[in-house]
């Protein structure tokens, strides 16, 4: 590798080191991104690790609800689950975040260097790759689901052109163990298979090596979900997802066919994308890409790959829009369990990859065609794009503010999990936590489970349908007054919550599930003949909560 290439890579890694500094300095005082992150995966994987690494297929995790089968969660074969068995939860999380960004950088750098922008300046390529590495990636604990795509595509493309060096096969064999199957694997493999079919139609010769690589990746991916396959095909487990109704959840958002497509395009092209796959491209990348595309067509410069990127964005956005907002598609999905389970609209998980390849193409148009000031403009745009990406990174931007004495509503890790406060509650109750169940009102999902309590409320994406039906009966008094609660509980069901009013939930139903205590973030409005006794209010300087502990009579 040339000297300037090494310097460019070293500078990029230094930038990633700067990104990591708040982790190293603040430790438990880092500002965290809660949604679909610390309220779910983080707690699930921590609690699972406490029960052991290798667990039987029919093992039940008793901490959650009436018990959720271990096989409802990702298997111990994937890295982001396994690491919780070897590192403390926060260290595991930090390791996953930093590794994913380093791998995301190298993957995009290699993809641009070897395929899309051959012969371009290494500093330019590294800067483009860094932009991709700093996408928000709010689903941090899905590891390489988003950020590993460029490296995986690079390995597949190498094998496609008969580059059979060992590192390509190593990447191919390891990647299934570093992603969440249901979020990316079926969709990535669909696109790769279409590429294989395109080659076959064009050359009239099947590329057996490429086909073998696709089949191998598919096989290894299926191995990683062996628990899900067991649960689905070899057990009598009935998941709560059978009650899902995308139509009922999205009925207020329904459009016609073309309206649905336009909504998808607006979401993923004209704006910053779905929350979990946010691209932050609206302010800088979109105007630059639009201008560069028009200019490239005018100058006939690198037009085909640029238009191909736009076409892919349109296709993925349209699929998203039709699947989410077009009534016939919603009814079709509701009537087919496998489609409902896998949510085949998730092609949008490929959008960030396509967007940042398009962004690199767009900057290359400016760099190559405006000799006098093109490089300066490109440098400014990359700086602004990277700055806004870091601004929208909840951990980095808010931790920097915190280090400078500024705060907003996002909690620190220490404040959010409030371990000292919940240890006080545990000691006050004075019984083994496994001997009683608790329910929560107003507290973040799964926070009590993180602190060792056995909780009847929470946030899980797969659990027994029978328990969902039991909880619906407990909460059904509130459905008429709060239609949104009915929608999230009855037609979605991932989140099971109680409202701070004893008249709006069935205390006897909770008692039947073994509930002895209710932890609330605010006083519960009690019924005339209340079955709740307020024992004590817990407040702690290291916590953001005031916890009202009620005893169920």
């Amino acid at each position: 590798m040339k000297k300037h290439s090494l310097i460019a890579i070293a500078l990029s890694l230094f930038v990633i080191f700067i990104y990591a500094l708040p982790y190293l300095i603040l430790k438990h005082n880092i500002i965290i991104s809660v949604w679909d992150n610390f309220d779910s995966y983080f707690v699930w994987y921590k609690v699972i690790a406490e029960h052991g690494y290798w667990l039987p297929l029919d093992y039940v995790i008793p901490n959650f609800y009436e018990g959720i089968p271990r096989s409802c969660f990702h298997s111990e074969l994937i890295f982001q689950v396994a690491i919780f068995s070897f590192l403390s939860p926060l260290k595991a999380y930090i390791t996953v975040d930093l590794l994913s960004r380093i791998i995301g950088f190298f993957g995009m750098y290699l993809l641009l260097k070897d395929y899309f922008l051959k012969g371009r300046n290494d500093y330019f390529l590294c800067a483009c790759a860094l932009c991709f590495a700093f996408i928000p990636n709010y689903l941090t604990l899905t590891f390489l689901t988003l950020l590993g795509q460029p490296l995986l595509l690079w390995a597949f493309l190498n094998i496609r052109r008969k580059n059979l060096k060992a590192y390509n096969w190593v990447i191919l064999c390891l990647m299934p163990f570093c992603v969440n199957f249901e979020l990316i694997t079926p969709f990535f493999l669909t696109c790769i298979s279409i590429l294989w079919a395109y080659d076959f139609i064009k050359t009239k010769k099947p590329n057996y090596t490429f086909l073998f690589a696709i089949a191998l990746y598919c096989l290894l991916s299926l191995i990683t979900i062996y628990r899900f396959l067991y649960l689905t095909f070899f057990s009598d487990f009935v998941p709560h997802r059978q009650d899902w109704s995308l139509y009922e959840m999205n009925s207020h958002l329904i459009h016609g066919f073309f309206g649905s497509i336009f909504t998808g395009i607006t979401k993923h092209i004209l704006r910053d994308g779905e929350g979990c796959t946010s691209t932050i491209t609206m302010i800088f990348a979109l105007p630059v890409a639009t201008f560069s595309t028009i200019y490239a067509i005018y100058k006939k410069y690198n037009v085909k790959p640029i238009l191909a990127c736009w076409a892919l964005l349109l296709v993925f956005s349209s699929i998203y829009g039709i699947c989410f907002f077009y009534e016939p598609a919603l009814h079709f999905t509701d009537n087919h369990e496998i489609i409902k389970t896998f949510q085949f609209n998730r092609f949008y998980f490929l959008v960030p990859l396509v967007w940042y390849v398009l962004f690199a193409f767009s900057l290359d148009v400016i760099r190559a065609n405006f000799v006098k000031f093109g490089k300066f403009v490109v440098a400014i745009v990359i700086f602004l794009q990277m700055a806004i990406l870091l601004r929208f990174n909840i951990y980095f931007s808010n931790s920097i503010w915190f280090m400078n004495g500024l705060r907003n509503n996002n909690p620190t890790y220490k404040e959010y999990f409030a371990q000292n406060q919940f240890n006080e509650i545990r000691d006050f109750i004075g019984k083994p936590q496994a001997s009683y169940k608790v329910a929560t009102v107003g507290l973040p999902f799964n926070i009590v489970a993180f602190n060792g309590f056995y909780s009847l409320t929470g946030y899980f994406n797969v659990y027994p349908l029978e328990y969902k039906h039991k909880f619906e009966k407990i909460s059904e008094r509130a459905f008429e007054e709060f239609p949104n609660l009915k929608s999230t509980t009855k037609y979605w069901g991932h989140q099971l919550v109680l409202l701070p009013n004893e008249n709006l939930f069935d205390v006897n139903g909770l008692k039947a599930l073994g509930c002895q205590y209710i932890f609330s973030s605010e006083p519960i409005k009690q019924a005339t003949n209340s079955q709740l006794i307020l024992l004590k209010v817990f407040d702690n300087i290291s916590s953001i909560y005031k916890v009202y502990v009620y005893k169920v009579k």
Side-chain angles (χ1 to χ4, degrees):
M1 186 175 285
K2 297 178 181 179
K3 183 178 179 180
H4 63 83
S5 299
L6 292 173
I7 295 173
I9 291 171
L11 288 173
S12 301
L13 292 176
F14 178 73
V15 173
I16 295 175
F17 172 74
I18 297 298
Y19 169 84
L21 278 178
Y23 280 136
L24 302 175
I25 296 170
L26 295 176
K27 298 179 181 177
H28 286 78
N29 286 316
I30 61 166
I31 306 295
I32 61 174
S33 172
V34 173
W35 172 73
D36 264 356
N37 204 14
F38 281 91
D39 64 351
S40 50
Y41 292 106
F42 187 82
V43 178
W44 304 342
Y45 296 166
K46 179 218 182 241
V47 172
I48 289 169
E50 290 170 348
H51 282 265
Y53 184 70
W54 290 105
L55 296 171
L57 283 170
D58 56 356
Y59 188 87
V60 174
I61 305 293
N63 308 58
F64 307 138
Y65 297 164
E66 287 187 298
I68 298 180
R70 168 64 183 87
S71 294
C72 286
F73 303 93
H74 295 101
S75 82
E76 63 285 344
L77 297 179
I78 64 172
F79 177 84
Q80 55 269 39
V81 175
I83 194 170
F84 277 78
S85 294
F86 303 101
L87 295 177
S88 66
L90 184 57
K91 288 180 180 177
Y93 177 86
I94 293 172
T95 302
V96 168
D97 187 28
L98 296 182
L99 271 180
S100 65
R101 297 195 184 277
I102 291 170
I103 293 169
F105 162 73
F106 277 109
M108 183 60 85
Y109 170 73
L110 291 170
L111 187 63
L112 296 176
K113 184 175 185 291
D114 291 347
Y115 286 96
F116 297 140
L117 293 173
K118 289 183 180 180
R120 292 352 183 245
N121 182 285
D122 277 288
Y123 293 99
F124 169 66
L125 296 177
C126 284
C128 292
L130 267 181
C131 285
F132 176 76
F134 286 135
I135 62 173
N137 194 30
Y138 294 123
L139 299 181
T140 304
L141 287 175
T142 62
F143 194 25
L144 298 182
T145 298
L146 283 180
L147 290 170
Q149 292 174 31
L151 187 64
L152 180 58
L153 179 58
W154 178 75
F156 265 118
L157 292 178
N158 286 343
I159 293 170
R160 179 190 180 217
R161 69 177 185 183
K162 304 297 176 67
N163 176 350
L164 305 181
K165 291 182 179 178
Y167 54 74
N168 293 313
W169 295 104
V170 169
I171 292 169
L172 193 76
C173 291
L174 289 181
M175 195 63 74
F177 300 92
C178 300
V179 303
N180 283 24
F181 178 95
E182 73 282 2
L183 297 180
I184 191 61
T185 302
F187 317 105
F188 189 93
L189 284 179
T190 297
C191 294
I192 289 293
S193 300
I194 291 172
L195 179 60
W196 181 89
Y198 168 81
D199 289 343
F200 175 66
I201 293 170
K202 184 177 179 181
T203 64
K204 308 297 183 184
K205 295 179 181 179
N207 186 335
Y208 289 113
T209 307
F210 191 24
L211 183 62
F212 173 76
I214 295 171
L216 176 63
Y217 190 86
C218 183
L219 175 63
L220 293 173
S221 297
L222 291 174
I223 290 173
T224 68
I225 60 166
Y226 78 95
R227 287 186 176 275
F228 169 78
L229 296 176
Y230 162 77
L231 210 62
T232 304
F233 300 109
F234 303 103
S235 77
D236 57 1
F237 176 77
V238 181
H240 82 283
R241 287 175 176 246
Q242 282 200 5
D243 266 5
W244 262 27
S245 175
L246 288 176
Y247 173 75
E248 293 291 346
M249 285 190 286
N250 293 348
S251 58
H252 60 295
L253 301 172
I254 285 175
H255 301 288
F257 181 76
F258 292 106
S260 300
I261 291 175
F262 180 74
T263 302
I265 291 172
T266 300
K267 183 86 168 178
H268 291 287
I269 298 179
L270 303 180
R271 301 181 70 180
D272 287 328
E274 181 71 18
C276 53
T277 59
S278 184
T279 54
I280 317 298
T281 48
M282 182 175 67
I283 296 177
F284 297 119
L286 176 59
V288 169
T290 303
F291 168 79
S292 296
T293 301
I294 295 170
Y295 193 84
I297 293 171
Y298 173 70
K299 285 288 187 177
K300 298 181 180 178
Y301 178 85
N302 219 14
V303 175
K304 286 185 178 180
I306 292 175
L307 293 181
C309 287
W310 281 112
L312 287 173
L313 288 176
L314 288 170
V315 170
F316 297 153
S317 301
S318 298
I319 292 173
Y320 172 89
I322 291 170
C323 290
F324 262 127
F325 308 114
Y326 184 48
E327 184 172 349
L330 293 173
H331 286 305
F332 181 80
T333 300
D334 285 346
N335 292 329
H336 294 81
E337 292 299 327
I338 190 67
I339 296 176
K340 187 161 55 175
T341 298
F342 272 103
Q343 291 182 256
F344 280 90
N345 58 352
R346 282 177 171 159
F347 280 97
Y348 67 84
F349 271 80
L350 296 164
V351 165
L353 169 62
V354 179
W355 244 124
Y356 279 88
V357 170
L358 174 60
F359 183 56
F361 278 136
S362 302
L363 293 175
D364 181 60
V365 170
I366 296 172
R367 183 197 61 82
N369 288 278
F370 296 89
V371 179
K372 290 185 178 180
F373 56 85
K375 292 181 180 178
F376 175 75
V377 171
V378 165
I380 293 297
V381 171
I382 287 176
F383 174 80
L384 292 173
Q385 182 63 25
M386 205 173 299
I388 198 170
L389 283 166
L390 291 174
R391 166 63 185 83
F392 278 89
N393 184 294
I394 293 174
Y395 142 71
F396 184 80
S397 61
N398 289 294
S399 293
I400 294 296
W401 290 349
F402 182 76
M403 290 166 67
N404 287 280
L406 302 173
R407 286 298 304 268
N408 60 15
N409 293 327
N410 290 307
T412 67
Y413 177 91
K414 186 177 182 179
E415 290 171 340
Y416 179 75
F417 286 112
Q419 289 175 273
N420 291 337
Q421 185 178 28
F422 281 99
N423 286 342
E424 290 176 15
I425 296 172
R426 177 199 63 199
D427 295 341
F428 172 77
I429 292 174
K431 296 187 290 187
Q433 288 172 300
S435 68
Y436 58 90
K437 298 277 189 178
V438 305
T440 61
V441 175
L443 291 170
F445 301 118
N446 298 328
I447 191 173
V448 295
F450 177 90
N451 284 288
F453 295 95
Y454 287 53
S455 179
L456 295 170
T457 49
Y459 175 24
F460 300 94
N461 55 21
V462 183
Y463 63 89
L465 178 64
E466 181 184 5
Y467 184 80
K468 176 177 175 289
H469 288 165
K470 289 180 181 179
F471 201 90
E472 280 178 23
K473 291 180 180 179
I474 292 170
S475 300
E476 64 184 357
R477 296 179 193 169
F479 289 167
E480 186 174 338
E481 189 172 343
F482 298 95
N484 286 342
L485 180 65
K486 179 178 181 179
S487 178
T488 55
T489 304
K490 189 175 182 65
Y491 302 123
W492 185 45
H494 282 12
Q495 302 170 358
L496 298 181
V497 301
L498 298 174
L499 298 178
N501 186 333
E502 188 179 351
N503 295 304
L504 296 180
F505 59 84
D506 180 8
V507 178
N508 289 325
L510 287 173
K511 287 166 63 176
L513 296 176
C515 183
Q516 295 184 35
Y517 300 93
I518 295 178
F519 300 165
S520 178
S521 63
E522 58 185 289
I524 295 175
K525 182 179 179 181
Q526 295 181 251
T528 304
N529 298 313
S530 179
Q531 298 184 66
L532 304 178
I533 302 171
L534 178 62
L535 298 179
K536 189 175 180 180
V537 180
F538 289 82
D539 204 353
N540 190 289
I541 193 171
S542 63
S543 166
I544 57 174
Y545 319 110
K546 181 178 285 187
V547 181
Y548 296 75
V549 176
Y550 291 86
K551 169 75 174 174
V552 178
K553 291 182 182 179

